[in-house]
Short mmCIF file of all heavy atoms in Angstrom, two decimals:
data_model
loop_
_atom_site.label_atom_id
_atom_site.label_comp_id
_atom_site.label_asym_id
_atom_site.label_seq_id
_atom_site.Cartn_x
_atom_site.Cartn_y
_atom_site.Cartn_z
N PHE A 137 108.93 158.11 89.14
CA PHE A 137 110.36 158.45 88.75
C PHE A 137 110.81 159.74 89.38
O PHE A 137 112.05 159.93 89.61
CB PHE A 137 110.50 158.53 87.16
CG PHE A 137 110.64 157.26 86.61
CD1 PHE A 137 109.61 156.54 86.02
CD2 PHE A 137 111.78 156.71 86.38
CE1 PHE A 137 109.77 155.35 85.38
CE2 PHE A 137 112.18 155.44 85.85
CZ PHE A 137 111.07 154.77 85.30
N THR A 138 109.93 160.66 89.73
CA THR A 138 110.39 161.92 90.37
C THR A 138 111.02 161.51 91.73
O THR A 138 112.11 162.14 92.08
CB THR A 138 109.11 162.71 90.57
OG1 THR A 138 108.59 163.12 89.36
CG2 THR A 138 109.70 164.09 91.31
N THR A 139 110.38 160.64 92.54
CA THR A 139 110.87 160.38 93.73
C THR A 139 112.25 159.43 93.62
O THR A 139 113.13 159.56 94.47
CB THR A 139 109.80 159.45 94.70
OG1 THR A 139 108.77 160.30 94.82
CG2 THR A 139 110.44 159.27 96.09
N ARG A 140 112.17 158.64 92.67
CA ARG A 140 113.41 157.69 92.35
C ARG A 140 114.60 158.56 92.08
O ARG A 140 115.68 158.29 92.71
CB ARG A 140 113.16 156.71 91.33
CG ARG A 140 112.12 155.64 91.78
CD ARG A 140 111.67 154.78 90.47
NE ARG A 140 110.61 153.95 90.95
CZ ARG A 140 109.68 153.41 90.03
NH1 ARG A 140 109.85 153.53 88.53
NH2 ARG A 140 108.72 152.76 90.40
N TYR A 141 114.46 159.60 91.26
CA TYR A 141 115.58 160.40 90.98
C TYR A 141 116.08 161.25 92.05
O TYR A 141 117.24 161.40 92.42
CB TYR A 141 115.30 161.30 89.74
CG TYR A 141 115.35 160.64 88.37
CD1 TYR A 141 114.33 160.13 87.62
CD2 TYR A 141 116.69 160.48 87.83
CE1 TYR A 141 114.41 159.43 86.42
CE2 TYR A 141 116.81 159.80 86.55
CZ TYR A 141 115.70 159.42 85.90
OH TYR A 141 115.79 158.82 84.83
N LEU A 142 115.08 161.77 92.82
CA LEU A 142 115.42 162.50 93.94
C LEU A 142 116.12 161.62 94.98
O LEU A 142 117.22 162.11 95.54
CB LEU A 142 114.16 163.04 94.71
CG LEU A 142 114.27 163.70 96.00
CD1 LEU A 142 115.08 165.03 95.98
CD2 LEU A 142 112.90 163.96 96.68
N LEU A 143 115.72 160.44 95.27
CA LEU A 143 116.29 159.54 96.24
C LEU A 143 117.70 159.19 95.81
O LEU A 143 118.71 159.17 96.53
CB LEU A 143 115.47 158.17 96.50
CG LEU A 143 114.42 158.37 97.50
CD1 LEU A 143 113.54 157.09 97.52
CD2 LEU A 143 114.84 158.69 98.83
N SER A 144 117.93 158.93 94.45
CA SER A 144 119.25 158.46 94.03
C SER A 144 120.21 159.56 94.02
O SER A 144 121.38 159.43 94.54
CB SER A 144 119.15 157.96 92.64
OG SER A 144 118.71 158.89 91.72
N ASP A 145 119.80 160.79 93.70
CA ASP A 145 120.67 161.99 93.77
C ASP A 145 121.10 162.26 95.15
O ASP A 145 122.15 162.57 95.56
CB ASP A 145 119.97 163.23 93.06
CG ASP A 145 119.89 163.11 91.63
OD1 ASP A 145 120.45 162.06 91.11
OD2 ASP A 145 118.98 163.72 90.98
N MET A 146 120.04 162.28 96.10
CA MET A 146 120.28 162.67 97.43
C MET A 146 121.11 161.51 98.24
O MET A 146 121.99 161.87 99.11
CB MET A 146 118.94 163.04 98.21
CG MET A 146 119.19 163.81 99.35
SD MET A 146 119.77 165.40 99.02
CE MET A 146 118.61 166.21 97.90
N ALA A 147 120.78 160.31 97.99
CA ALA A 147 121.53 159.31 98.64
C ALA A 147 123.00 159.33 98.22
O ALA A 147 123.83 159.08 99.10
CB ALA A 147 121.01 157.95 98.31
N GLU A 148 123.28 159.65 96.94
CA GLU A 148 124.65 159.85 96.50
C GLU A 148 125.30 161.01 97.16
O GLU A 148 126.59 160.87 97.62
CB GLU A 148 124.59 159.97 95.00
CG GLU A 148 126.13 160.12 94.44
CD GLU A 148 126.14 160.02 92.97
OE1 GLU A 148 125.08 160.13 92.27
OE2 GLU A 148 127.25 160.23 92.32
#
Side-chain angles (χ1 to χ4, degrees):
F137 277 96
T138 300
T139 303
R140 290 172 191 160
Y141 279 102
L142 173 66
L143 279 176
S144 63
D145 292 344
M146 202 58 65
E148 181 174 4

